[in-house]
Amino acid sequence: MANHHRLLRGGGSPAISSSGGRIRLTAFVATIALSLFTLSFLFASESNNDSPDLLLPGIGSIRRSMLDIKPDPLKPRLLQIRKQADDHRSLALAYASYARKLKLENSKLVRIFADLSRNYTDLINKPSYRSLHDSDGSSSIDESTLRQFEKEVKERIKMTRQVIAEAKESFDNQLKIQKLKDTIFAVNEQLTKAKKQGAFSSLIAAKSIPKGLHCLAMRLMEERIAHPEKYTDEGKDKPAELEDPSLYHYAIFSDNVIAASVVVNSAVKNAKEPWKHVFHVVTDKMNLGAMQVMFKLKEYKGAHVEVKAVEDYTFLNSSYVPVLKQLESSNLQKFYFENKLENATKDTTNMKFRNPKYLSILNHLRFYLPEMYPKLHRILFLDDDVVVQKDLTGLWEIDMDGKVNGAVETCFGSFHRYAQYMNFSHPLIKEKFNPKACAWAYGMNFFDLDAWRREKCTEEYHYWQNLNENRALWKLGTLPPGLITFYSTTKPLDKSWHVLGLGYNPSISMDEIRNAAVVHFNGNMKPWLDIAMNQFRPLWTKHVDYDLEFVQACNFGL
């Protein structure tokens, strides 16, 4: 007791008592201060959140504890509505993108789906609904605002689904159309490729020399070499009939021995007075010997046959003939003689004009008839793929009305007009010719050589042939320059004189063929080839000299 009083009065050991008391007092004060700081922090935190007062022991009362805070029950509902809106917005965007890809009519559906997608975005960003999405989870969501938001979202979802349902048929049909277009495109690609390969293969089949024909030419040449004295005309006087203008003269230019013989055989067989007919056969130097033997092996009922080589006409040289000069061009040689499939089939429409025969001087001799036969007045030109079925002397009785070329016209409707043979985008062609002018056929042409000389047709041919060195006016061949050269100097003949198409058209009627004076196997299916049409081939084979030993030895046509 005395000690307690001393402690209160500061008695006892002053140093120890004073020091211990101060330590305990300091600890107590620190504890109280820490408690007050904690409480003030809590009050401040709750005050910022507008929460009711907390009830702490010794401090005050609050309505709920921090541990009792629960998430807003409307939050999941909000998230679900927001997800539905986002999903349908994405769906509308996807359909809009698909509609653009399909290029739907007037892009109407593209605009509709784009607007729907934009409506969802505008709705979510609407100021009255922004607070719903910006809450941090601790604040309450206004239920009436949420209901209004849900209502508008559902309306847009309903509209989106309705538009999709209505557009489904369009999408399905458009998808089918697109798939069909893709299929058609792929098939067209295959068809184009097949056409190119087919055209190239057909060209090879048509222009290759059959084994039997090659054998025949070789055996005839062998005979010519073994017995030159039997077949040469050197040292002999030229028969006067060869230049007699009162007789019926024919020009046949060919390097095909059997084909040329069939033309002569068929013409002689159907001639009423064969001894009045003269056949001028011109070939190249390589086939001259074979031709000479072929036409010496038999008599032609008194008809006269002259066989010459191109080289015998010395005026036909590169300084005078444009085609021979153009043959020296490397670009033209490449165009004709390149043999790669991808190069040779670049222009399938005019594939046949890539045949080197169109640069052969044999093919262009038809433009030099007045100079080759200066003493004749009229001459009938025949291709080597024709068969004569009637006497042709009636052609010499036709009044040519001052025209140069007598030919059968081939146009019908819009087909076989000048526009199909020439480049009318070229100003010279456009200026000089009518694109609707009717074309005619080569193969059987009756020429008035006196009118030819008067009209200077060969000079006209040279003029245009020189202009076409780069193939800008026409795609080569002899018909386009023929159409140009004889543009205003052609007399149409009755169609029964010359029936064409037996080398490509199987639908020609047999009545039309029977009534024809000359039938023409123009096209790739020549009668001496395996690819010839069986219904027409007998018209040609009946004039082949199968009884000749050289023909038999080569099994020609078997």
Side-chain angles (χ1 to χ4, degrees):
M1 188 66 177
N3 290 338
H4 177 68
H5 286 295
R6 276 199 304 270
L7 180 61
L8 292 176
R9 290 194 303 269
S13 173
I16 296 173
S17 300
S18 176
S19 175
R22 281 198 297 272
I23 291 172
R24 286 191 294 271
L25 180 61
T26 300
F28 178 77
V29 171
T31 302
I32 295 300
L34 181 60
S35 300
L36 291 174
F37 177 80
T38 302
L39 289 174
S40 66
F41 175 81
L42 293 173
F43 271 97
S45 176
E46 290 301 318
S47 174
N48 291 337
N49 291 328
D50 297 323
S51 299
D53 293 339
L54 297 175
L55 180 62
L56 294 177
I59 301 298
S61 63
I62 60 172
R63 293 181 183 176
R64 58 182 177 173
S65 168
M66 290 176 62
L67 298 176
D68 294 332
I69 297 176
K70 296 180 180 179
D72 194 317
L74 297 177
K75 192 68 174 179
R77 184 176 167 189
L78 172 64
L79 294 175
Q80 184 180 8
I81 296 170
R82 174 67 183 267
K83 185 177 184 303
Q84 290 177 345
D86 287 338
D87 289 346
H88 283 79
R89 180 175 65 85
S90 299
L91 186 62
L93 282 174
Y95 271 90
S97 175
Y98 192 54
R100 283 190 200 95
K101 182 179 178 182
L102 293 179
K103 299 178 182 178
L104 292 179
E105 195 176 51
N106 299 324
S107 299
K108 182 179 178 181
L109 287 176
V110 176
R111 292 195 300 273
I112 292 175
F113 284 117
D115 289 344
L116 283 174
S117 173
R118 209 163 26 247
N119 285 343
Y120 283 109
T121 303
D122 293 343
L123 179 64
I124 292 172
N125 294 328
K126 197 173 181 179
S128 58
Y129 301 139
R130 190 183 297 277
S131 61
L132 294 174
H133 314 296
D134 294 342
S135 63
D136 59 2
S138 61
S139 59
S140 61
I141 296 174
D142 185 77
E143 189 170 358
S144 61
T145 304
L146 180 61
R147 285 177 180 172
Q148 183 61 31
F149 177 63
E150 183 179 21
K151 179 181 178 183
E152 293 194 39
V153 168
K154 287 183 176 180
E155 287 176 355
R156 282 164 175 75
I157 289 175
K158 182 179 179 181
M159 186 185 303
T160 302
R161 291 178 176 176
Q162 183 178 353
V163 171
I164 290 174
E166 292 174 354
K168 189 176 186 301
E169 184 177 355
S170 297
F171 276 107
D172 289 346
N173 291 339
Q174 196 67 25
L175 182 59
K176 291 175 184 177
I177 292 172
Q178 188 62 41
K179 286 183 177 179
L180 184 59
K181 285 181 177 179
D182 292 342
T183 302
I184 292 173
F185 179 80
V187 171
N188 278 336
E189 287 288 303
Q190 295 175 358
L191 179 61
T192 301
K193 185 177 180 181
K195 278 184 176 180
K196 288 182 177 181
Q197 293 176 337
F200 188 67
S201 300
S202 177
L203 186 66
I204 292 174
K207 307 310 174 186
S208 298
I209 300 175
K211 182 178 178 181
L213 181 56
H214 179 71
C215 168
L216 178 61
M218 292 300 100
R219 286 184 177 273
L220 291 171
M221 181 59 74
E222 184 181 23
E223 173 69 12
R224 173 67 176 79
I225 295 171
H227 306 94
E229 70 285 351
K230 292 173 59 176
Y231 306 105
T232 183
D233 291 327
E234 293 180 9
K236 297 180 181 179
D237 292 335
K238 187 175 183 179
E241 291 85 356
L242 299 182
E243 296 180 339
D244 186 351
S246 65
L247 301 180
Y248 305 110
H249 291 265
Y250 301 77
I252 304 166
F253 307 139
S254 174
D255 58 0
N256 187 323
V257 176
I258 199 74
S261 70
V262 165
V263 177
V264 175
N265 286 344
S266 61
V268 169
K269 181 179 180 181
N270 290 284
K272 294 177 181 178
E273 300 175 305
W275 56 89
K276 292 185 179 180
H277 295 256
V278 182
F279 298 90
H280 302 273
V281 179
V282 181
T283 187
D284 54 32
K285 197 168 186 177
M286 185 175 70
N287 291 283
L288 178 61
M291 287 283 191
Q292 288 174 334
V293 174
M294 190 70 180
F295 288 104
K296 290 282 186 179
L297 290 176
K298 60 178 286 187
E299 295 293 329
Y300 290 93
K301 298 182 180 180
H304 308 277
V305 181
E306 178 191 40
V307 178
K308 297 186 74 172
V310 175
E311 290 77 9
D312 294 330
Y313 300 94
T314 54
F315 71 91
L316 296 173
N317 53 63
S318 60
S319 63
Y320 179 65
V321 179
V323 167
L324 291 178
K325 183 178 180 180
Q326 291 166 8
L327 260 177
E328 299 171 358
S329 165
S330 59
N331 288 335
L332 208 58
Q333 289 178 10
K334 182 180 179 182
F335 177 81
Y336 275 111
F337 298 107
E338 62 187 4
N339 56 8
K340 293 182 179 178
L341 176 62
E342 62 272 20
N343 293 330
T345 58
K346 285 175 184 173
D347 188 3
T348 51
T349 304
N350 295 288
M351 171 70 70
K352 65 178 182 178
F353 296 126
R354 299 183 72 91
N355 189 332
K357 83 166 190 176
Y358 289 102
L359 274 188
S360 167
I361 186 60
L362 278 177
N363 212 40
H364 288 260
L365 284 181
R366 64 194 71 188
F367 293 105
Y368 299 97
L369 290 171
E371 294 160 280
M372 295 173 69
Y373 310 105
K375 295 184 179 181
L376 301 183
H377 304 305
R378 292 186 171 190
I379 195 167
L380 179 63
F381 168 77
L382 294 175
D383 265 342
D384 64 358
D385 55 353
V386 305
V387 172
V388 178
Q389 300 189 131
K390 293 183 180 180
D391 181 78
L392 300 179
T393 55
L395 289 168
W396 276 262
E397 300 173 3
I398 293 176
D399 183 0
M400 293 289 287
D401 299 323
K403 303 293 185 180
V404 177
N405 172 34
V408 170
E409 292 183 331
T410 57
C411 62
F412 61 96
S414 61
F415 295 97
H416 296 287
R417 303 283 177 177
Y418 269 48
Q420 293 178 276
Y421 298 95
M422 299 168 220
N423 177 18
F424 273 86
S425 64
H426 194 285
L428 269 178
I429 296 292
K430 187 176 181 180
E431 178 187 354
K432 298 287 185 180
F433 306 101
N434 179 4
K436 296 182 180 179
C438 188
W440 43 265
Y442 264 130
M444 191 216 72
N445 303 82
F446 187 72
F447 290 108
D448 185 329
L449 300 182
D450 292 332
W452 184 316
R453 298 180 185 105
R454 184 179 64 249
E455 296 291 339
K456 298 182 178 180
C457 293
T458 300
E459 288 86 341
E460 183 79 1
Y461 160 70
H462 281 178
Y463 170 76
W464 288 101
Q465 189 69 45
N466 283 321
L467 288 178
N468 195 48
E469 183 174 2
N470 60 355
R471 305 185 300 280
L473 305 183
W474 67 83
K475 293 284 187 179
L476 296 170
T478 54
L479 182 55
L483 295 174
I484 289 175
T485 301
F486 305 112
Y487 176 56
S488 58
T489 58
T490 296
K491 179 179 178 63
L493 301 179
D494 187 275
K495 292 186 182 297
S496 63
W497 281 111
H498 185 194
V499 170
L500 299 102
L502 278 72
Y504 71 89
N505 183 8
S507 62
I508 302 174
S509 72
M510 293 309 296
D511 287 339
E512 187 178 2
I513 290 173
R514 277 190 291 270
N515 292 328
V518 172
V519 291
H520 193 172
F521 288 83
N522 58 311
N524 285 338
M525 300 177 184
K526 301 298 184 188
W528 54 84
L529 299 176
D530 292 336
I531 60 174
M533 285 184 275
N534 293 329
Q535 68 268 39
F536 301 143
R537 193 173 188 181
L539 298 170
W540 184 85
T541 55
K542 68 182 180 180
H543 297 291
V544 175
D545 293 312
Y546 287 112
D547 55 332
L548 293 179
E549 61 174 305
F550 297 105
V551 176
Q552 293 174 0
C554 291
N555 297 318
F556 186 83
L558 300 178

